[in-house]
Amino acid sequence: MKILKIFLLLSSLFLFLNADDDDGHHKYKHSYKNLEYLDLNTQQIEKMKEILIDFKYQYKEFYEFKENQEDRLEDIIKDDNFDEKQYLEILNEIKSKASFLEVQRMKKIYTILDGKQRKKFSKYFKEWEVE
């Protein structure tokens, strides 16, 4: 009887942990920045490719900018007097540019998704943040 209770408890726990709130239509496991779960049509796929290629170059520029700004931050830290104001300005500039790029990309992605796809996409939007 104890074994049966343990089995039922473990089965319940397993079912609870593997429950899916997406109407049970979980065909595969989600992997980082994989968009297959959205079931995009051919036109959406092409638009998404264009968006990602366009932003690839914009991110390349951003990361070069970020690297230069981080060099400036390093110089501030090495300096005999810590310039708090300049340090904060540089940090804000980096974060502002990153946020701007993220918003622009999300806006473009948003326009090609339908309501159901947006709902699914919203579960994984964190992996699309600019770092």
Side-chain angles (χ1 to χ4, degrees):
M1 191 66 168
K2 288 182 182 181
I3 294 174
L4 182 59
K5 286 181 182 178
I6 292 171
F7 175 76
L8 288 174
L9 181 63
L10 290 174
S11 298
S12 299
L13 183 60
F14 176 78
L15 290 173
F16 175 75
L17 293 175
N18 289 315
D20 188 13
D21 62 343
D22 193 23
D23 301 327
H25 296 101
H26 205 38
K27 299 175 190 167
Y28 46 81
K29 221 170 189 154
H30 176 75
S31 58
Y32 183 72
K33 289 193 178 179
N34 180 356
L35 298 174
E36 288 180 19
Y37 67 97
L38 293 175
D39 298 322
L40 300 172
N41 63 36
T42 316
Q43 186 179 14
Q44 288 174 312
I45 291 170
E46 286 304 312
K47 287 182 180 179
M48 185 65 78
K49 283 180 184 178
E50 289 172 18
I51 291 168
L52 296 178
I53 289 170
D54 180 40
F55 277 93
K56 176 182 176 181
Y57 298 112
Q58 291 184 35
Y59 280 108
K60 183 179 178 190
E61 290 174 14
F62 168 73
Y63 287 121
E64 289 171 2
F65 165 79
K66 183 179 177 185
E67 190 175 307
N68 291 334
Q69 296 304 83
E70 287 173 344
D71 289 343
R72 289 180 58 200
L73 292 174
E74 238 179 85
D75 293 340
I76 292 171
I77 293 172
K78 289 177 187 175
D79 199 7
D80 291 335
N81 296 322
F82 183 75
D83 188 345
E84 181 179 336
K85 184 178 177 183
Q86 187 177 15
Y87 193 89
L88 183 60
E89 285 175 10
I90 293 169
L91 279 179
N92 284 334
E93 205 174 339
I94 293 170
K95 292 179 186 206
S96 175
K97 284 188 183 270
S99 297
F100 179 77
L101 272 176
E102 185 176 332
V103 167
Q104 294 303 314
R105 182 183 56 194
M106 285 299 175
K107 182 179 177 183
K108 287 189 177 197
I109 290 173
Y110 178 89
T111 61
I112 67 168
L113 301 177
D114 64 29
K116 189 175 180 180
Q117 291 168 328
R118 288 181 193 137
K119 185 176 178 181
K120 290 178 183 179
F121 184 75
S122 70
K123 293 178 184 178
Y124 303 107
F125 82 96
K126 283 277 196 192
E127 67 189 33
W128 292 82
E129 288 181 342
V130 180
E131 298 173 5

